[in-house]
Amino acid sequence: MKRETKAQRAARVARILELLDREYGTDYRCYLNHETPWQLLIAVILSAQCTDARVNIVTADLFKKYDSLEKFAGASLEELEQDIRSIGFYHMKAKNIIACCRSLLADFGGEVPSELSELTSLAGVGRKTANVIRGNIYNIPSIVVDTHVKRISRKLGLTREEEPEKVEYDLMKVLPEDHWILWNIHIITLGRTICTARSPRCGQCFLKEVCPSAGMR
Ligand code: SF4
């Protein structure tokens, strides 16, 4: 990729955001079905290494059977494992969900906290999950770095990093705060439809004029 001046990069980022907003709108949307903050937290814990579609299938029944934090906190590990066994890593996830819900009740009065340090103190909650909660529930500008965001942010020349936390810091430097939450929403949509991992359709991509990787594999 050609070296860019700061001003050139800022102009290119502004154009990328303009094109994404035009194509996908500026409404916040969450691909994981939920009605309460703790339901979203559980859905995000379940979603590691699993598709959102599969998680939504499982939670449709799960949230009916366990309709309160107390029910998850008091669940039998073996039974919860069976309830979520169609999802990868169900053993670990069931254990984390029970521990996480117990801690929410014991330490946070049954509320999902908004502070990063408090969220990441919960079982099964890493920085990515915490940022999903902060953005989706509390509207706190946060950049969620998942596989699509890492891959496509690199293609767009906005980071060279591999580690999600370093990608997040690079993106914080180049994206305006009002697009931190939207970045994840937009890039997931782009990654699922046009810029897929297997075969990006650069010819049909509305970002091709501002993407240094256009036409490359
Ligand atoms: S131009 Fe190609 S590589 Fe760049 S974002 Fe679009 S599909 Fe992905």
Side-chain angles (χ1 to χ4, degrees), residues 17-213:
L17 298 178
E18 188 187 330
L19 291 165
L20 285 166
D21 287 354
R22 191 192 296 168
E23 190 72 17
Y24 297 137
T26 52
D27 289 342
Y28 289 170
R29 126 175 55 123
C30 181
Y31 284 106
L32 291 166
N33 297 339
H34 66 281
E35 286 176 3
T36 67
W38 61 263
Q39 284 185 346
L40 179 60
L41 187 57
I42 290 171
V44 184
I45 292 173
L46 289 171
S47 72
Q49 315 280 327
C50 183
T51 65
D52 291 349
R54 162 63 37 200
V55 172
N56 286 336
I57 291 170
V58 169
T59 55
D61 291 333
L62 194 69
F63 292 156
K64 279 190 202 132
K65 177 170 178 181
Y66 303 89
D67 57 5
S68 66
L69 258 184
E70 287 78 3
K71 285 194 184 160
F72 274 108
S76 131
L77 178 60
E78 294 71 29
E79 194 173 336
L80 185 56
E81 282 177 358
Q82 289 312 308
D83 292 329
I84 63 168
R85 65 172 302 131
S86 64
I87 284 183
F89 305 101
Y90 64 89
H91 191 71
M92 175 65 77
K93 289 176 182 174
K95 207 167 124 207
N96 282 338
I97 286 169
I98 292 173
C100 175
C101 292
R102 286 183 181 166
S103 176
L104 285 177
L105 289 169
D107 306 324
F108 298 103
E111 301 290 328
V112 176
S114 61
E115 287 299 319
L116 200 58
S117 59
E118 292 178 332
L119 280 161
T120 52
S121 74
L122 296 163
V125 179
R127 198 176 169 94
K128 179 184 146 207
T129 302
N131 278 333
V132 173
I133 296 297
R134 281 162 64 80
N136 282 276
I137 302 296
Y138 295 109
N139 273 321
I140 299 169
S142 319
I143 300 176
V144 176
V145 180
D146 68 357
T147 168
H148 293 296
V149 168
K150 185 175 99 175
R151 182 172 54 80
I152 297 175
S153 299
R154 283 168 56 88
K155 278 185 176 290
L156 288 168
L158 305 185
T159 182
R160 291 182 173 168
E161 300 291 351
E162 283 281 354
E163 248 180 71
E165 195 168 333
K166 290 185 179 168
V167 173
E168 184 187 330
Y169 286 126
D170 275 351
L171 292 174
M172 281 172 163
K173 285 185 221 147
V174 292
L175 299 175
E177 262 188 41
D178 64 358
H179 272 75
W180 286 9
I181 298 173
L182 273 175
W183 186 254
N184 172 264
I185 298 166
H186 283 165
I187 297 302
I188 286 181
T189 311
L190 182 72
R192 286 179 177 171
T193 52
I194 299 172
C195 191
T196 60
R198 282 205 179 163
S199 71
R201 305 210 310 267
C202 299
Q204 295 161 39
C205 181
F206 59 92
L207 292 181
K208 61 177 181 283
E209 64 174 85
V210 280
C211 177
S213 308

